[in-house]
Amino acid sequence: MIVGHIGARKGSKGVPGKNFRMLQGKPLIDWSLDQLLNNRRIDAVVVSTDDEQIYHHARAKNTVDIGLRPAELCTDTAAKWPVWQHSLAAVEAKIGEVSIFVDLDCTAPLRWDSDVDAALDQFIAQRPDMLMSCCTARKNPYFNLLETDPEGRLHVSKPLGHLVVARQKAPVVYEHAGGTYVLNPAYLKSASSLFEGRVLPYIMPPERCADIDSELDFKIVSLLMAEQEASANR
């Protein structure tokens, strides 16, 4: 039993109402929700939300009804992990034991349908506790990310025993691109945070990892989606 999950809290300071805001012809949430609903490998889909409009919208698409999210999971500081744990417990109470839990961030609409399948394939092949989408970081703490010392002088954040003079010579670091997560439900139930177990990266290109957290992000993603649509119609 593979369950797909979307978390969509009502409040957003950066982009008010962003999860249900129209983007290229449909609500932002639907770019991710439809990927789960249309994937033949996903057996059931659940949406965790405190927004009644999103709740009824998701139920109309035949998602599993787990009610509205509890108040303690609706604050600005509420973490993903307890939201996932609540959703898993609620959906298992409805449909039975879950074998794989897949979460898609609804603020990452540039993800391809094939990314969901590729992440599932990697998870099944490697059997980690969790797989999370990442991309190679544009900035590198061994090369061009800096900190100041007590005297205010700049230094590389993670100095090595030798000077790194080019980004290509620095160790590879990844940016957490919160678009796609695949989890072992047993790990989700037993752990208290993301990185307690064997967590592996699912590598995506940076152009598919944009996350909407501001009005500028929304404009950039909208432009990129319009460009992709125009290219596909040529």
Side-chain angles (χ1 to χ4, degrees):
M1 174 70 71
I2 301 179
V3 165
H5 177 268
I6 301 280
R9 193 169 59 85
K10 178 166 56 177
S12 173
K13 293 180 179 178
V15 186
K18 68 179 177 182
N19 291 326
F20 209 67
R21 184 166 165 180
M22 296 300 290
L23 175 66
Q24 295 296 310
K26 63 183 184 180
L28 174 59
I29 187 175
D30 279 0
W31 290 99
S32 298
L33 182 55
D34 288 349
Q35 284 185 327
L36 293 175
L37 292 168
N38 295 331
N39 189 304
R40 294 181 180 181
R41 300 166 72 179
I42 305 292
D43 298 297
V45 177
V46 61
V47 173
S48 172
T49 185
D50 59 334
D51 188 317
E52 290 197 9
Q53 183 181 32
I54 291 176
Y55 168 77
H56 291 296
H57 177 76
R59 288 291 298 121
K61 288 175 171 276
N62 293 319
T63 57
V64 179
D65 186 4
I66 62 167
L68 291 172
R69 185 186 296 187
E72 65 271 18
L73 300 178
C74 300
T75 66
D76 289 343
T77 57
K80 278 183 181 294
W81 202 258
V83 170
W84 288 349
Q85 289 178 323
H86 169 265
S87 294
L88 176 61
V91 77
E92 286 196 325
K94 290 277 187 176
I95 64 174
E97 187 176 0
V98 174
S99 57
I100 299 177
F101 185 88
V102 180
D103 177 82
L104 301 185
D105 274 7
C106 62
T107 55
L110 295 176
R111 173 199 320 102
W112 287 0
D113 294 348
S114 58
D115 284 316
V116 179
D117 282 314
L120 277 169
D121 289 342
Q122 183 180 337
F123 180 84
I124 292 168
Q126 298 181 337
R127 289 295 176 182
D129 293 311
M130 181 170 74
L131 199 70
M132 67 161 57
S133 54
C134 297
C135 62
T136 303
R138 291 180 61 248
K139 299 292 185 179
N140 192 304
Y142 297 97
F143 175 60
N144 56 5
L145 284 179
L146 309 174
E147 298 177 16
T148 54
D149 64 16
E151 297 179 0
R153 294 177 300 182
L154 284 171
H155 299 275
V156 171
S157 291
K158 296 183 72 172
L160 297 172
H162 60 279
L163 180 64
V164 178
V165 296
R167 180 178 55 84
Q168 293 80 1
K169 299 293 185 181
V172 175
V173 295
Y174 296 108
E175 181 179 337
H176 175 191
T180 309
Y181 304 85
V182 187
L183 297 93
N184 180 338
Y187 174 61
L188 179 53
K189 292 173 184 176
S190 63
S192 58
S193 61
L194 271 69
F195 298 107
E196 291 180 23
R198 182 171 172 254
V199 180
L200 301 182
Y202 167 63
I203 308 301
M204 294 174 61
E207 62 269 19
R208 301 209 299 270
C209 292
D211 183 71
I212 296 177
D213 196 42
S214 68
E215 288 290 347
L216 178 59
D217 294 333
F218 206 100
K219 291 178 181 178
I220 291 171
V221 169
S222 183
L223 287 170
L224 287 171
M225 294 184 89
E227 184 180 87
Q228 289 175 5
E229 183 177 353
S231 178
N233 291 332
R234 284 175 188 157

